[in-house]
């Protein structure tokens, strides 16, 4: 999985997260104060609902997921880095028009800043994924305590913003997983999540190029990576309008990553 570097907006996200990092010793013990919220998130076509506060999340596999719960002809649409007030609503509209459920990998500070959008994602029946507090693509070079803060604080931010629905997956920024981060996420009920098709939409190569990448590489595996934040995502929106019907015409169905 290729790393995504050179996107200036992450410097701003990281700066915004400095205060969170400074408070890690306090905020990372949120579970002792409020108790974890176990997340029942419904399957495709149904709204996700939180389960009772205080319930303990079940451990899931530490293996990085790529497969779809819809089998060999299933594909997983995953949307990273939001939510964003400009682009997330447009992505949601395209998904709605095509009857597609996706997995949204959210940056903690973005979720905290836009709880209405997190709730909108949940209300449409999509699933949530922890994408850390500040999208640090060097996570795998950092101490365990830092990785823990990034993952657990983002989990808390996303859960609170959603109104109690927990993320079911953890995607390391740029694929910077470590054995420790995978085990920690799995212990919290978040399956480590990879990808098979990187559309490179963050590079803004043009909608046609994004579509062409999906058409060429979907045979590599079912999990397809798009972005709804980090800059102008009009090309992503346009590409989704074209590629979702194309995938269905090719006989694919839309599912969620395996848990």
């Amino acid at each position: 999985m290729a790393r995504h570097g050179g996107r200036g907006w992450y410097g701003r996200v990281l700066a915004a997260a400095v205060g969170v990092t400074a408070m890690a010793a306090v905020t990372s013990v949120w579970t002792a104060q409020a108790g974890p919220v176990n997340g029942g998130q419904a399957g495709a076509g149904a709204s996700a609902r939180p389960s009772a506060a205080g319930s303990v999340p079940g451990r899931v596999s530490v293996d990085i997921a790529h497969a779809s719960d819809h089998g060999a002809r299933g594909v997983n649409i995953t949307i990273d880095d939001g939510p964003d007030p400009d682009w997330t609503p447009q992505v949601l509209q395209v998904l709605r028009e095509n009857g597609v459920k996706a997995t949204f990998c959210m940056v903690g500070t973005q979720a905290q800043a836009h709880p209405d959008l997190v709730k909108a994602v949940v209300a449409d029946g999509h699933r949530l994924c922890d994408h850390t507090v500040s999208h640090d693509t060097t996570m795998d070079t950092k101490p365990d305590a830092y990785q823990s803060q990034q993952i657990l604080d983002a989990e808390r931010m996303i859960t609170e913003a959603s109104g109690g629905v927990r993320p079911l997956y953890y995607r390391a920024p740029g694929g910077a997983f470590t054995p420790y981060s995978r085990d920690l996420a799995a212990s919290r009920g978040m399956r480590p999540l990879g990808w098979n098709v990187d559309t490179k939409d963050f590079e803004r190569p043009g909608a046609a190029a994004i579509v062409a990448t999906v058409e060429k590489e979907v045979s590599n595996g079912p999990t397809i990576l798009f972005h709804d934040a980090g800059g102008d995502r009009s090309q992503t929106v346009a590409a989704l309008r074209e590629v979702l019907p194309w995938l269905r015409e090719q006989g694919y169905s839309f599912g969620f990553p395996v848990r």
Side-chain angles (χ1 to χ4, degrees), residues 117-203:
L117 295 177
V118 182
K119 291 179 175 68
V121 167
V122 170
D124 275 7
H126 305 294
R127 288 185 178 179
L128 302 177
C129 171
D130 180 331
H131 204 34
T132 75
V133 173
S134 56
H135 201 283
D136 183 352
T137 59
T138 65
M139 281 273 290
D140 54 347
T141 69
K142 301 296 178 62
D144 290 353
Y146 175 85
Q147 296 179 53
S148 177
Q149 173 264 318
Q150 286 282 310
I151 294 167
L152 297 183
D153 285 356
E155 179 193 19
R156 172 182 56 80
M157 292 173 175
I158 294 166
T159 303
E160 291 178 351
S162 72
V165 179
R166 296 184 64 258
L168 295 184
Y169 307 93
Y170 164 64
R171 174 173 275 167
F177 289 102
T178 66
Y180 175 81
S181 68
R182 290 192 292 113
D183 184 71
L184 176 62
S187 75
R188 300 291 303 164
M190 297 184 291
R191 180 75 183 264
L193 177 59
W195 63 81
N196 305 103
V197 180
D198 186 350
T199 65
K200 304 288 188 182
D201 60 337
F202 63 88
E203 295 179 351

Side-chain angles (χ1 to χ4, degrees), residues 1-2 61-78 103 169-172 174-175 177 182 191-198 217-225 253 255-259:
M1 293 181 289
S61 172
V62 301
D63 295 334
I64 298 173
H66 294 90
S68 173
D69 64 5
H70 274 217
R73 295 297 289 177
V75 290
N76 309 317
I77 303 299
T78 64
T103 300
Y169 307 93
Y170 164 64
R171 174 173 275 167
F177 289 102
R182 290 192 292 113
R191 180 75 183 264
L193 177 59
W195 63 81
N196 305 103
V197 180
D198 186 350
E217 298 185 13
V218 68
S219 60
N220 294 340
T223 301
I224 307 173
L225 173 60
S253 61
F256 291 117
V258 294
R259 293 260 300 145

Side-chain angles (χ1 to χ4, degrees), residues 219-249:
S219 60
N220 294 340
T223 301
I224 307 173
L225 173 60
F226 297 93
H227 298 81
D228 64 341
D232 184 337
R233 293 291 167 252
S234 57
Q235 294 180 8
T236 300
V237 173
L240 284 168
R241 289 191 189 281
E242 185 173 344
V243 80
L244 296 180
W246 180 85
L247 285 165
R248 187 165 273 129
E249 289 167 3

